[in-house]
Amino acid sequence: MPATGFASSEPFDHEKLEAAAIRYPRPSRLAVALELSGPKASRAAAALGLHTVGDLLEHLPRDRREARTITQLVPGESATIVVEVRRITSRSVRRRGMRPLVEATVADETGRIKATFFNQPWLVGRYPAGTRLVLHGSLNARRRFNVQDHARTGGSAAGNGSVAHYSTTEGLTSSELLALVRRHAGGLANVLEPLPAAVRATERLPDRPAALAFAHFGSGDGAARRRLAFEELLLLQLALLRRRALRRDTSAAPVIDSERALTARWLSEKLPFPLTNDQARALEAIDHDISSSRPMQRLLMGEVGSGKTVVALYAMLRAVEHGMQAAMMAPTETLAEQHFRTIQSLLPHELMAIGLLTGSTPARRREDLLSKLETREMSLVVGTHALIEDPVRFASLAVAVVDEQHRFGVRQRAALDAKAPGDSSPHVLHMTATPIPRTLALSQYGDLDFTVLRELPRGRRPVETFVCSTERERARAYDRIRAELRAGRQAFVVCPLVEESELLQARAATAEFERLSAEEFRDFTVVLLHGQMRPGAKQQAMGAFASGAADVLVATSVIEVGIDVPNATVMLVEDADRYGISQLHQLRGRIGRGAHSSLCLLFGPREAPRLRALRSTADGFRLAEVDLELRGEGELVGTRQHGLAELRFAELPADAQLLERARMYAQRIESDDPELQLPEHALLADALRGRYGAEALAPIRA
Ligand code: ADP
Ligand code: MG
């Protein structure tokens, strides 16, 4: 197994990469050791990794605290103010636990206020009248500002409305760090510039020193932030493209080209339906990829039900008809079994045998299967991690499909690569059912080619979606639901999300169940489903609904997963605006699966942006984009777990264009100077190694 998985396609594991990071080489002035006021501060600085002036200047603020003016202060709320000391005195009042107090009258252009410093009598000498200070603390009920954190500041930081806020540790406050940075600001002139001059000129970007000054002091304009964002996006894209190139160039995959006897027959005779246009395009892309000896690295994105399995099976059959083997790996046994069944149903038995290998495959069957894989008697296998265990040997693995690919680690995918004979790699098709917008895809999976299945296979019916805001609309909604029920259809009623407590949520669902059984749907059979029920009771409720014995299923969001009842044509969601866009989209996916047209009724404020989005489109990718726009990248559910590279300056999707520019330059650099050996790329190479570790540039061949 290759020791480093850098060549496999893993969304960035930032912790690992940051841990591997080495620092920029610094010219001497930046290498000067930091001098701090006392041993406590020195220890704190060392704990933060701040040993030199260079370290300090590279220690960028975590965020910025909006500075408030004195008139904007609200009692009880923490806030940062930038003020000038007018008067300062030590009060030797020694009541209340003997706390020595320093009281200062401080002012900004909007007013003045009394500030209290606890336990630091020496501040009287350090902050004489006229000193400018950044204070962080809160106003108490008597309109005194209790100071938690303070430091001297230079010019008018209040002018730009925010103050840098650093990650700190005991013994060194954020304001003290800012003051320290100010003292060493002269060192900024020595900071190296990793961006090639030509790129900076074309993009009109300020140099790195100016941009760092902006990060610390907030001086300069938006161009400085843009510059730092561009740098981080460029480095990210370079690392992704490099990783992709390393896998591609250091191993070859078998060329799968002319032979089509099997797939041609399968497509025309055995596949029980015509392909959607998106599926057809995906097959073309795969054909193109596998006809080259460069290993395929394609990500197939399509929601549940979009027909990914057909596409994956095609890629696998292409290997088989060339006398080679193919494997599909899924993260759980349930998924593997599901794929196995789908593939069996899509693949008439006389075509070939296909194996299933999971942790619970009985020993005898497993042995038989392993020997058949080794002799090539079996050419198609579906399984879990069990597929990449040591004893598994393939005679000629040529195509590998990885489902829910983000759930596998670097090593696991490298292990799958290693199952191909000799030094070769298999062509890999990754699959994911989570729709993500292009901006995120680029930053997360920039080392893969993308194919999207947007169009749902025929037979799926569009769902009409309404937002109901008034009591009249509610009454009409129940009328419509009763009409559907009388016509023999079924309905879901989803109760409000109660994030804080499953118990409360269960109670609310129970109450709604009782109300609907007694009132709106008293002529029908209503069942209840929530997370607090015993497994047997859940099964019973689901069974009753699935068999059609129950007309209405009142549920908490547990139905998001798992239920397939084509006869259900209505979904009513209470307090729908409490749910996230993707959750609502998933919920709505439970209907529109049968022959009848379906109806989704979202109860909530008409103007709620999420509900408007749901009403306007059924496209999961479009909805993911809206979600991103509404919430910003940091909030997007799931992205963190997926290992999305954390961006400190760039903001997606706002910086989508900047990302595209960075991608373009990265591609250009990657093709002109892949190993960054030209002199104008030397500092860029350092920066890349600094951020992503030495393996960002090294070939991975052992
Ligand atoms: P996914 O893996 O993307 O969730 P599947 O490949 O399992 O989706 O397909 C979902 C269902 O749709 C399966 O029953 C499959 O047989 C069917 N299906 C796939 N492609 C088509 C198509 N082009 N036309 C009709 N049905 C299709
Ligand atoms: Mg599937």
Side-chain angles (χ1 to χ4, degrees):
M1 199 204 295
T4 148
F6 206 71
S8 91
S9 24
E10 164 86 335
F12 268 96
D13 176 346
H14 241 255
E15 266 173 45
K16 172 169 165 271
L17 294 167
E18 296 283 9
I22 54 169
R23 302 195 166 274
Y24 291 95
R26 298 179 206 293
S28 55
R29 183 158 171 203
L30 296 176
V32 169
L34 266 186
E35 279 184 29
L36 288 129
S37 51
K40 210 169 133 201
S42 301
R43 273 198 303 276
L48 291 170
L50 309 180
H51 306 283
T52 64
V53 172
D55 293 335
L56 177 71
L57 297 178
E58 293 277 342
H59 184 69
L60 297 184
R62 197 156 42 112
D63 51 40
R64 305 188 72 75
R65 280 181 179 163
E66 286 306 305
R68 293 196 188 164
T69 61
I70 285 174
T71 50
Q72 288 168 335
L73 290 174
V74 177
E77 283 180 18
S78 292
T80 299
I81 51 177
V82 181
V83 292
E84 191 181 292
V85 177
R86 292 286 157 81
R87 243 167 57 94
I88 188 160
T89 56
S90 165
R91 277 217 299 166
S92 40
V93 177
R94 300 224 160 199
R95 286 175 300 155
R96 290 229 212 138
M98 317 269 285
R99 298 214 290 177
L101 297 183
V102 168
E103 265 189 2
T105 304
V106 297
D108 68 9
E109 64 279 9
T110 69
R112 60 169 62 199
I113 201 165
K114 283 244 164 64
T116 311
F117 303 79
F118 298 100
N119 295 322
Q120 300 158 90
W122 58 86
L123 292 180
V124 174
R126 203 197 287 175
Y127 295 155
T131 311
R132 290 192 58 82
L133 295 176
V134 181
L135 302 179
H136 185 74
S138 61
L139 204 60
N140 70 15
R142 300 199 334 273
R143 291 202 58 80
R144 277 169 186 270
F145 194 80
N146 290 336
V147 178
Q148 290 152 11
D149 181 10
H150 54 88
R152 212 181 270 273
T153 178
S156 161
N160 56 67
S162 68
V163 174
H165 184 239
Y166 299 85
S167 333
T168 57
T169 181
E170 179 117 25
L172 202 54
T173 66
S174 176
S175 310
E176 283 166 347
L177 263 172
L178 179 58
L180 201 58
V181 173
R182 262 184 214 293
R183 200 166 338 131
H184 292 286
L188 285 171
N190 292 55
V191 166
L192 294 176
E193 170 57 68
L195 293 184
V199 174
R200 253 189 339 106
T202 319
E203 293 297 304
R204 296 165 184 267
L205 295 169
D207 60 14
R208 192 161 215 281
L212 285 181
F214 164 76
H216 291 298
F217 311 128
S219 51
D221 56 4
R225 186 205 66 86
R226 199 168 154 267
R227 138 78 216 213
L228 290 170
F230 180 87
E231 179 184 319
E232 87 183 341
L233 292 170
L234 180 69
L235 290 177
L236 174 61
Q237 289 304 316
L238 277 171
L240 286 166
L241 290 175
R242 186 71 194 141
R243 175 152 65 173
R244 164 201 179 85
L246 284 172
R247 179 173 191 266
R248 195 184 59 201
D249 298 343
T250 53
S251 59
V255 171
I256 297 178
D257 201 5
S258 49
E259 178 56 53
R260 288 173 185 281
L262 178 62
T263 46
R265 209 176 113 219
W266 176 66
L267 287 173
S268 66
E269 295 171 23
K270 304 293 183 185
L271 201 64
F273 40 72
L275 296 172
T276 65
N277 294 327
D278 282 350
Q279 282 171 323
R281 266 193 295 276
L283 300 199
E284 270 172 41
I286 288 169
D287 279 337
H288 173 263
D289 291 349
I290 63 179
S291 68
S292 148
S293 64
R294 294 176 152 189
M296 169 164 76
Q297 309 183 74
R298 186 166 292 278
L299 176 64
L300 182 63
M301 293 191 271
E303 294 187 70
V304 174
S306 61
K308 295 185 295 298
T309 315
V310 175
V311 175
L313 182 54
Y314 173 83
M316 294 166 82
L317 291 179
R318 293 291 332 266
V320 174
E321 68 192 345
H322 275 249
M324 289 175 281
Q325 293 170 304
M328 179 190 273
M329 181 162 76
T332 65
E333 290 196 8
T334 313
L335 271 173
E337 282 160 18
Q338 234 172 54
H339 281 306
F340 180 69
R341 279 196 301 273
T342 310
I343 290 180
Q344 275 184 322
S345 74
L346 289 168
L347 203 62
H349 196 68
E350 77 268 15
L351 275 183
M352 79 196 57
I354 138 170
L356 174 67
L357 182 65
T358 70
S360 43
T361 306
R364 290 275 299 281
R365 174 117 47 90
R366 179 184 149 90
E367 258 166 53
D368 179 53
L369 210 138
L370 293 196
S371 90
K372 283 181 170 158
L373 286 176
E374 202 163 349
T375 59
R376 204 185 300 195
E377 255 176 276
M378 176 170 285
S379 35
L380 262 190
V381 64
V382 176
T384 56
H385 304 76
L387 284 174
I388 50 174
E389 280 164 15
D390 249 357
V392 182
R393 282 192 201 88
F394 289 85
S396 59
L397 181 65
V399 168
V401 178
V402 181
D403 190 23
E404 297 299 322
Q405 60 106 22
H406 55 272
R407 293 179 58 180
F408 289 97
V410 172
R411 277 172 196 286
Q412 291 163 328
R413 273 175 271 155
L416 187 60
D417 267 1
K419 294 293 177 192
D423 278 348
S424 70
S425 286
H427 294 288
V428 180
L429 183 68
H430 306 270
M431 304 201 290
T432 177
T434 312
I436 56 173
R438 177 179 160 80
T439 46
L440 285 191
L442 266 188
S443 49
Q444 209 170 337
Y445 303 118
D447 54 342
L448 302 175
D449 298 306
F450 309 132
T451 295
V452 178
L453 302 182
R454 274 175 186 265
E455 189 186 351
L456 293 180
R458 271 191 315 166
R460 295 283 316 208
R461 291 183 149 257
V463 176
E464 260 192 295
T465 299
F466 299 95
V467 176
C468 306
S469 311
T470 64
E471 282 310 307
R472 272 191 57 199
E473 285 168 335
R474 174 178 287 272
R476 274 217 303 270
Y478 289 132
D479 278 341
R480 287 226 28 199
I481 297 176
R482 283 187 290 263
E484 289 284 315
L485 299 179
R486 277 194 293 272
R489 307 285 85 76
Q490 292 164 278
F492 293 104
V493 172
V494 181
C495 296
L497 184 68
V498 186
E499 305 245 22
E500 314 81 60
S501 158
E502 248 188 74
L503 191 65
L504 285 183
Q505 184 164 355
R507 280 203 197 132
T510 308
E512 182 66 359
F513 161 73
E514 280 163 6
R515 186 185 78 82
L516 292 174
S517 310
E519 296 172 21
E520 308 294 352
F521 304 135
R522 61 178 170 266
D523 300 334
F524 303 93
T525 310
V526 185
V527 288
L528 173 68
L529 181 64
H530 63 67
Q532 302 275 301
M533 283 162 49
R534 277 175 295 105
K538 278 190 210 168
Q539 292 277 311
Q540 208 178 347
M542 294 222 270
F545 193 66
S547 71
D551 305 298
V552 179
L553 180 70
V554 178
T556 53
S557 53
V558 290
I559 56 162
E560 221 183 307
V561 282
I563 287 191
D564 189 10
V565 182
N567 189 49
T569 54
V570 181
M571 164 129 332
L572 182 166
V573 184
E574 292 284 353
D575 283 352
D577 51 315
R578 290 203 202 171
Y579 286 91
I581 283 187
S582 63
Q583 261 178 315
L584 290 170
H585 178 61
Q586 294 277 341
L587 283 170
R588 185 167 61 179
R590 299 289 117 205
I591 55 174
R593 299 176 155 237
H596 304 279
S597 56
S598 290
L599 186 65
C600 177
L601 302 161
L602 303 175
F603 284 14
R606 180 167 316 287
E607 290 315 311
R610 296 183 206 172
L611 305 190
R612 285 167 56 171
L614 263 290
R615 202 177 50 191
S616 68
T617 180
D619 178 345
F621 288 89
R622 180 64 203 128
L623 287 171
E625 277 163 21
V626 175
D627 205 16
L628 182 64
E629 281 157 24
L630 290 179
R631 297 206 280 165
E633 160 251 330
E635 295 278 310
L636 205 66
V637 182
T639 56
R640 287 273 179 257
Q641 298 93 290
H642 295 186
L644 176 69
E646 201 171 314
L647 300 171
R648 284 199 290 183
F649 297 102
E651 281 167 25
L652 297 173
D655 283 323
Q657 274 194 334
L658 202 62
L659 173 64
E660 297 283 354
R661 308 280 307 158
R663 173 92 175 165
M664 182 200 78
Y665 283 108
Q667 274 165 337
R668 203 179 281 173
I669 293 169
E670 170 65 26
S671 80
D672 294 349
D673 180 23
E675 282 163 46
L676 303 184
Q677 286 171 327
L678 296 176
E680 67 261 37
H681 293 150
L683 293 175
L684 191 59
D686 282 343
L688 192 62
R689 280 189 289 259
R691 181 136 181 158
Y692 294 115
E695 70 262 46
L697 278 163
I700 49 125
R701 235 345 128 70

